[in-house]
Amino acid sequence: MTSIHLLPKIPILFFSVLCTLILASCDQQQTTNTTTETDDELRKKANELAHTYIITDGHIDLPYRLRNKMEDVSQKTAGGEFDYIRAKEGGLDAPFMSIYVSSSYQKSGGAKALADSLIDMVVKITKDHPDKFALANSPAEVKQNYEQGKISLPMGMENGAPLEEKLENVDYFYKKGIRYITLTHGKDNFICDSSYDTTRTWNGLSPMGKQVVAEMNRVGIMVDVSHISDSAFYQVMQLSKAPVIASHSSCRHFTPGFERNMTDDMIKLLAAKGGVIQINFGSTFVDSASRKQGDLNNKHMADWIKQNNLSPDDPKVEAYEEEYMKANTRLSDVSVVADHIDHVVKLVGIDYVGFGSDFDGVGPTLPKGLTDVSFYPNLIFHLLKRGYSEEDIRKICSDNVFRVWNEVEQIAKESQQKS
């Protein structure tokens, strides 16, 4: 059945990729223009654009951060990288709240209950501060909230474990406000293999995982390919009827061998099917030297956890890891994050890249000049300095992601009308 449908699609796919590359070449001519404006003028312009265009970010781990230590994010907080004050300063309007569920819950149970509690937490923030925050289940709702001066809190679920092997839970979480699902996290699960796991349980998607992708298409949840193995990615791209996102991934071109990032071939295929890669800001994602140091740090942490007979979720582990990482992390620079955006544009064009910071998730590995949600203007400044146009900036800030989000919703609507 698969081979019958695959054969006629091959030339179409090649044609799509070719068209994408041609458009990328045209777009790159825009981004290599030199600018005559001074740095001060460009910084002022960057700040103005950050507060003129809607900025969405594909992945911010606020809920899990607050689960460990509750803070009032309507005020400037002492910890973390996100709060209302700094978000407004940086022009952030629609950060996707990550409903993160650790892979450990795949063994212990309770994944769905944890996801529900984190969703409830996000809802409570909007109810406690209705003048500052609001839920958003579509780009249209984000725009409505923006016009009212509110920060939207759309939600994406990191790890499909909370589906708990029940297909009906895809619709359940859609109704709860989940608008993307990262299929797995640090370990293989019942949906697919993880880029961080060497077990290769399914060599890609499981039979159940293929049904999950189809059901996500049907209900209107974006498929997020961050964290999944390369084989799983290519199977998703073959099966999904809707464009997909990588909510917080960067380019493997700069970090050879790091499967968590995307290869050039993967980025081209993602774009050919209309998807978007949202660049992760973490130093270990954008810089090979930082990546190598990160690997050493991870080995040290794994050894330390084993020597002390602790669970990875033990609070002692988090406290020790925070201090150890601060002392042993090699930091990159905001300009390197701009390099990743440049690389995507050179490969496939301006329409397929966005922001996916991983704020509150990568902690002390954030690069210099991009350490919390107040710094988006600094990244925009570096893009303007490289000759990106205002239209380019608008697309990167939100238009590209909104296009995918709307198309996923439209495909779901058409699918439901046919059934």
Side-chain angles (χ1 to χ4, degrees):
M1 190 74 172
T2 301
S3 59
I4 293 173
H5 288 288
L6 180 59
L7 287 172
K9 289 183 179 179
I10 292 175
I12 295 173
L13 178 58
F14 284 170
F15 179 73
S16 297
V17 172
L18 179 60
C19 290
T20 298
L21 290 173
I22 292 171
L23 288 172
S25 177
C26 295
D27 285 329
Q28 183 55 22
Q29 291 176 10
Q30 289 183 318
T31 60
T32 54
N33 291 336
T34 56
T35 177
T36 58
E37 294 174 278
T38 67
D39 280 4
D40 286 344
E41 289 171 333
L42 288 175
R43 287 192 180 282
K44 181 180 178 181
K45 183 176 182 179
N47 191 60
E48 290 172 351
L49 293 180
H51 293 85
T52 299
Y53 299 145
I54 293 174
I55 295 179
T56 186
D57 189 304
H59 194 89
I60 292 184
D61 277 297
L62 176 70
Y64 205 80
R65 163 194 152 195
L66 295 184
R67 178 177 180 267
N68 293 327
K69 183 180 179 181
M70 185 57 65
E71 294 181 283
D72 179 5
V73 293
S74 71
Q75 306 297 322
K76 188 168 185 176
T77 57
E81 288 99 48
F82 174 88
D83 56 52
Y84 178 81
I85 302 300
R86 286 179 288 177
K88 278 294 186 180
E89 184 181 345
L92 179 60
D93 305 293
F96 271 84
M97 296 286 99
S98 172
I99 305 304
Y100 164 63
V101 176
S102 167
S103 299
S104 63
Y105 286 84
Q106 294 164 195
K107 290 185 176 180
S108 66
K112 183 171 179 287
L114 175 58
D116 281 334
S117 70
L118 296 177
I119 291 169
D120 290 344
M121 180 193 296
V122 175
V123 172
K124 187 175 186 299
I125 290 172
T126 65
K127 289 183 176 179
D128 288 348
H129 310 286
D131 58 325
K132 294 182 173 67
F133 299 108
L135 298 174
N137 293 321
S138 67
E141 290 184 9
V142 170
K143 291 173 183 176
Q144 285 180 340
N145 294 334
Y146 173 77
E147 290 169 0
Q148 296 172 15
K150 299 178 183 179
I151 294 175
S152 294
L153 300 181
M155 291 181 284
M157 190 160 73
E158 186 177 26
N159 195 353
L163 299 181
E164 295 187 339
E165 300 188 55
K166 296 179 181 178
L167 206 58
E168 61 267 27
N169 279 336
V170 176
D171 185 60
Y172 169 84
F173 280 111
Y174 178 84
K175 290 173 179 173
K176 294 272 286 188
I178 295 297
R179 288 301 179 267
Y180 76 69
I181 296 177
T182 316
L183 299 182
T184 190
H185 192 254
K187 295 288 183 181
D188 299 354
N189 64 9
F190 65 88
I191 297 172
C192 69
D193 298 337
S194 167
S195 62
Y196 283 131
D197 201 336
T198 58
T199 307
R200 297 303 186 249
T201 304
W202 309 105
N203 290 315
L205 291 170
S206 71
M208 176 81 180
K210 294 174 183 178
Q211 295 180 57
V212 168
V213 170
E215 183 66 1
M216 289 171 68
N217 285 172
R218 190 191 71 81
V219 304
I221 293 179
M222 290 180 281
V223 178
D224 179 17
V225 297
S226 290
H227 280 285
I228 73 176
S229 69
D230 287 5
S231 295
F233 166 81
Y234 284 109
Q235 291 172 27
V236 166
M237 298 308 295
Q238 181 182 346
L239 291 170
S240 182
K241 295 179 181 178
V244 308
I245 63 169
S247 69
H248 57 307
S249 296
S250 299
C251 304
R252 204 180 303 177
H253 171 82
F254 297 95
T255 56
F258 184 39
E259 192 174 349
R260 174 65 179 78
N261 278 344
M262 299 184 72
T263 66
D264 289 1
D265 182 70
M266 295 165 76
I267 293 169
K268 289 174 184 177
L269 183 54
L270 182 83
K273 293 200 69 173
V276 171
I277 175 173
Q278 295 172 266
I279 300 300
N280 192 308
F281 295 172
S283 292
T284 57
F285 284 80
V286 299
D287 182 90
S288 60
S290 298
R291 173 77 255 150
K292 289 175 184 177
Q293 182 62 50
D295 288 340
L296 292 174
N297 293 347
N298 289 339
K299 184 180 184 304
H300 171 85
M301 284 304 304
D303 292 344
W304 186 85
I305 290 170
K306 186 176 181 179
Q307 290 166 6
N308 289 275
N309 196 29
L310 296 171
S311 163
D313 294 323
D314 192 300
K316 293 178 183 177
V317 173
E318 183 179 357
Y320 178 80
E321 183 176 28
E322 184 176 353
E323 290 304 313
Y324 183 83
M325 291 298 186
K326 282 181 180 178
N328 294 278
T329 294
R330 179 186 175 115
L331 296 181
S332 190
D333 183 82
V334 59
S335 64
V336 181
V337 177
D339 289 343
H340 281 251
I341 293 173
D342 262 352
H343 187 70
V344 175
V345 173
K346 290 174 182 176
L347 280 176
V348 295
I350 194 66
D351 297 314
Y352 309 100
V353 65
F355 301 142
S357 65
D358 214 347
F359 282 136
D360 284 332
V362 291
T365 73
L366 287 164
K368 299 170 186 176
L370 203 52
T371 52
D372 64 44
V373 293
S374 69
F375 281 88
Y376 293 97
N378 196 27
L379 178 52
I380 292 172
F381 159 74
H382 281 272
L383 296 176
L384 290 174
K385 195 169 182 179
R386 298 176 187 213
Y388 281 73
S389 69
E390 293 186 16
E391 176 68 11
D392 293 336
I393 300 300
R394 186 166 64 87
K395 288 182 176 183
I396 295 170
C397 285
S398 57
D399 276 11
N400 293 340
V401 173
F402 286 175
R403 171 183 52 77
V404 174
W405 193 353
N406 281 325
E407 189 170 344
V408 168
E409 290 278 5
Q410 182 59 34
I411 288 171
K413 183 179 179 181
E414 292 170 358
S415 174
Q416 291 165 24
Q417 288 173 346
K418 292 177 182 178
S419 60

